[in-house]
Amino acid sequence: MTSKNMHMKSICIGVAGDSASGKDTFADAVVGLLGHNAVTVLSGDNYHFWDREKPAWQVVTHLNPMANDLSRYARDLSVLVAGGNVELQEYDHSSGKSSEFSTIEARQIIVAQGLHALYSAEMRSQYDLQIYLDVDEDIRRKFKIKRDVRDRGHLLEEVIATFERRESDSIDFVRPQAQYADIVFSVRSDNFEALGSDSCEEDLSLYLEMKKKAAEYSEDLIDILEKVCRLDIERAFVYEAPIIRIRGAVTEPLLSEASVNLCPKALKLTSYRPLWQKDIVGIIQLITLYEIELLL
């Protein structure tokens, strides 16, 4: 795990992943666990150099680091980690424009999430925990269509066209960040027949795969996942790297019970009552809270 001076005010988590890989969902899930008063989210989307209406947007995709002010992103992160506040504009995905400046305050947990959150050594040096979100491409395609068409009002044809245009930048600049992650969360599917269409309605039978940089997994975590959460755990190796595959449905009450056993110190970071998600997002919440526990 990335080392950092633990006498500093905040615990800093860096989260990278491709578009529609779940970065916003991850950040919201951590806020759900500990509350807005304990968590600051710094989004990489707020560091695009230009609005979506600008001609440059059609030439250089925002997956390319050149389209983003990563130096300012790193400086702002450093200020927050040191306990200071930063002023920034929030990018609005609906309008494609940035808002007026607002103040972002440092809190106990800082989540820096974005397409390039693990891209630079300057950013990586600030993190206590580095996470990469990896979603199988066919699944990510469905997630992105559902999000951009239903939630952001884009045309289906436009969303599909972006995949080909951004593919090379994803390969060159986004996916290589997985090598720096302490944990890679991968979303996979057992329903191969449903992956070939652009419909978002099928049951994909999703499961979670977790790879840690450390060679060994925490047996207490696995034991809780099996016995308290009642999940199916499979251990495997992919390209000689150990992974665990986690299958099954889990409810919010079971995740809450598991957290009391695994994460007593982390739960005391705030008086906020945790809001647990179910199934894969909830499992990621539990594992992330457990990793925070290890840092305390």
Side-chain angles (χ1 to χ4, degrees):
M1 185 173 294
T2 308
S3 62
K4 192 184 72 148
N5 184 354
M6 291 311 297
H7 296 292
M8 297 182 76
K9 180 179 179 181
S10 299
I11 292 173
C12 191
I13 304 172
V15 185
D18 211 333
S19 178
S21 63
K23 300 182 295 296
D24 287 331
T25 299
F26 178 93
D28 290 344
V30 176
V31 173
L33 283 178
L34 299 172
H36 288 281
N37 290 333
V39 182
T40 295
V41 177
L42 189 66
S43 173
D45 289 346
N46 298 330
Y47 295 89
H48 296 331
F49 272 126
W50 45 76
D51 293 340
R52 197 164 61 227
E53 65 183 13
K54 302 298 183 182
W57 189 275
Q58 302 303 320
V59 179
V60 182
T61 82
H62 61 287
L63 277 69
N64 190 318
M66 293 177 60
N68 303 274
D69 193 346
L70 298 186
S71 295
R72 184 164 65 89
Y73 192 15
R75 290 196 302 271
D76 285 353
L77 177 62
S78 179
V79 170
L80 289 172
V81 170
N85 301 333
V86 297
E87 298 287 324
L88 58 79
Q89 296 171 286
E90 183 176 354
Y91 179 76
D92 186 334
H93 285 277
S94 297
S95 67
K97 297 181 179 181
S98 297
S99 67
E100 298 296 323
F101 281 92
S102 60
T103 302
I104 304 296
E105 300 179 352
R107 297 186 176 90
Q108 179 66 43
I109 306 294
I110 296 171
V111 178
Q113 61 92 354
L115 292 163
H116 307 100
L118 306 183
Y119 186 79
S120 72
E122 186 177 7
M123 293 283 286
R124 297 194 298 271
S125 69
Q126 301 294 325
Y127 299 132
D128 300 291
L129 177 64
Q130 299 182 135
I131 293 173
Y132 186 83
L133 301 178
D134 168 43
V135 179
D136 277 351
E137 282 303 291
D138 287 333
I139 302 172
R140 189 175 71 85
R141 182 183 181 97
K142 288 178 177 290
F143 286 175
K144 185 171 177 61
I145 289 172
K146 182 177 181 180
R147 182 196 68 185
D148 288 359
V149 174
R150 294 185 182 181
D151 300 339
R152 297 180 178 175
H154 301 310
L155 295 175
L156 175 60
E157 295 77 9
E158 294 175 349
V159 176
I160 292 175
T162 62
F163 283 98
E164 291 186 9
R165 191 163 65 88
R166 298 174 180 178
E167 178 69 8
S168 61
D169 282 347
S170 177
I171 293 171
D172 291 341
F173 304 119
V174 179
R175 297 175 200 174
Q177 294 174 85
Q179 67 185 299
Y180 303 116
D182 298 306
I183 299 175
V184 176
F185 288 119
S186 301
V187 178
R188 311 295 192 206
S189 174
D190 284 323
N191 188 350
F192 299 107
E193 293 183 1
L195 295 177
S197 73
D198 288 328
S199 170
C200 303
E201 306 303 329
E202 299 95 336
D203 177 9
L204 294 176
S205 300
L206 300 177
Y207 67 90
L208 181 66
E209 191 173 273
M210 184 180 77
K211 178 171 69 175
K212 289 193 69 172
K213 186 176 290 186
E216 296 181 1
Y217 295 104
S218 304
E219 293 300 327
D220 55 343
L221 172 62
I222 293 176
D223 191 58
I224 289 291
L225 290 174
E226 288 182 320
K227 295 180 179 178
V228 176
C229 297
R230 304 169 191 170
L231 295 163
D232 295 323
I233 305 296
E234 174 191 353
R235 302 178 191 233
F237 285 85
V238 175
Y239 299 112
E240 299 184 353
I243 64 170
I244 59 172
R245 296 188 178 108
I246 306 170
R247 288 181 171 86
V250 63
T251 63
E252 295 92 327
L254 288 179
L255 289 163
S256 179
E257 179 184 347
S259 69
V260 172
N261 287 279
L262 276 176
C263 317
K265 291 184 293 183
L267 290 172
K268 292 180 181 179
L269 289 174
T270 175
S271 59
Y272 179 83
R273 182 177 179 180
L275 295 177
W276 291 95
Q277 303 293 319
K278 62 181 180 179
D279 301 335
I280 285 180
V281 176
I283 297 167
I284 291 176
Q285 280 183 304
L286 179 63
I287 294 172
T288 302
L289 193 66
Y290 177 71
E291 294 295 328
I292 293 173
E293 176 83 7
L294 297 178
L295 291 167
L296 295 174

Short mmCIF file of all heavy atoms in Angstrom, two decimals, residues 4-10 81 128:
data_model
loop_
_atom_site.label_atom_id
_atom_site.label_comp_id
_atom_site.label_asym_id
_atom_site.label_seq_id
_atom_site.Cartn_x
_atom_site.Cartn_y
_atom_site.Cartn_z
N LYS A 4 2.53 7.09 3.35
CA LYS A 4 2.43 8.52 3.47
C LYS A 4 2.48 8.85 4.95
O LYS A 4 2.19 8.04 5.80
CB LYS A 4 1.12 9.03 2.84
CG LYS A 4 1.08 10.54 2.68
CD LYS A 4 -0.26 10.98 2.14
CE LYS A 4 -1.28 10.83 3.21
NZ LYS A 4 -2.36 11.73 3.25
N ASN A 5 2.87 10.05 5.28
CA ASN A 5 2.95 10.48 6.67
C ASN A 5 1.56 10.46 7.29
O ASN A 5 0.70 11.27 6.99
CB ASN A 5 3.52 11.91 6.71
CG ASN A 5 3.71 12.40 8.14
OD1 ASN A 5 3.32 11.74 9.10
ND2 ASN A 5 4.35 13.54 8.27
N MET A 6 1.33 9.52 8.20
CA MET A 6 -0.01 9.34 8.74
C MET A 6 -0.35 10.37 9.82
O MET A 6 -1.40 10.33 10.42
CB MET A 6 -0.17 7.93 9.29
CG MET A 6 -0.17 6.87 8.21
SD MET A 6 -1.31 7.27 6.84
CE MET A 6 -2.86 7.27 7.70
N HIS A 7 0.62 11.32 10.11
CA HIS A 7 0.29 12.39 11.03
C HIS A 7 -0.45 13.52 10.32
O HIS A 7 -0.89 14.46 10.94
CB HIS A 7 1.57 12.93 11.68
CG HIS A 7 2.26 11.91 12.54
ND1 HIS A 7 1.72 11.44 13.71
CD2 HIS A 7 3.43 11.25 12.37
CE1 HIS A 7 2.55 10.55 14.26
NE2 HIS A 7 3.58 10.42 13.46
N MET A 8 -0.56 13.43 8.99
CA MET A 8 -1.30 14.43 8.24
C MET A 8 -2.78 14.31 8.54
O MET A 8 -3.26 13.28 9.00
CB MET A 8 -1.02 14.28 6.75
CG MET A 8 0.44 14.52 6.39
SD MET A 8 0.76 14.40 4.62
CE MET A 8 0.11 15.97 4.07
N LYS A 9 -3.51 15.36 8.24
CA LYS A 9 -4.90 15.47 8.68
C LYS A 9 -5.81 14.44 8.04
O LYS A 9 -6.68 13.87 8.71
CB LYS A 9 -5.39 16.88 8.36
CG LYS A 9 -6.84 17.13 8.77
CD LYS A 9 -7.25 18.56 8.46
CE LYS A 9 -8.70 18.81 8.85
NZ LYS A 9 -9.12 20.19 8.52
N SER A 10 -5.65 14.21 6.76
CA SER A 10 -6.63 13.42 6.02
C SER A 10 -6.08 12.10 5.53
O SER A 10 -4.88 11.94 5.34
CB SER A 10 -7.15 14.23 4.81
OG SER A 10 -7.77 15.41 5.22
N VAL A 81 -5.01 17.75 1.15
CA VAL A 81 -4.36 16.77 2.03
C VAL A 81 -3.69 17.46 3.21
O VAL A 81 -3.65 16.93 4.32
CB VAL A 81 -3.35 15.93 1.22
CG1 VAL A 81 -2.48 15.08 2.14
CG2 VAL A 81 -4.08 15.04 0.23
N ASP A 128 -2.98 7.48 0.25
CA ASP A 128 -2.80 6.37 1.19
C ASP A 128 -3.31 5.07 0.59
O ASP A 128 -2.86 3.99 0.98
CB ASP A 128 -3.58 6.66 2.49
CG ASP A 128 -3.12 7.93 3.16
OD1 ASP A 128 -1.99 7.95 3.66
OD2 ASP A 128 -3.89 8.91 3.16
#
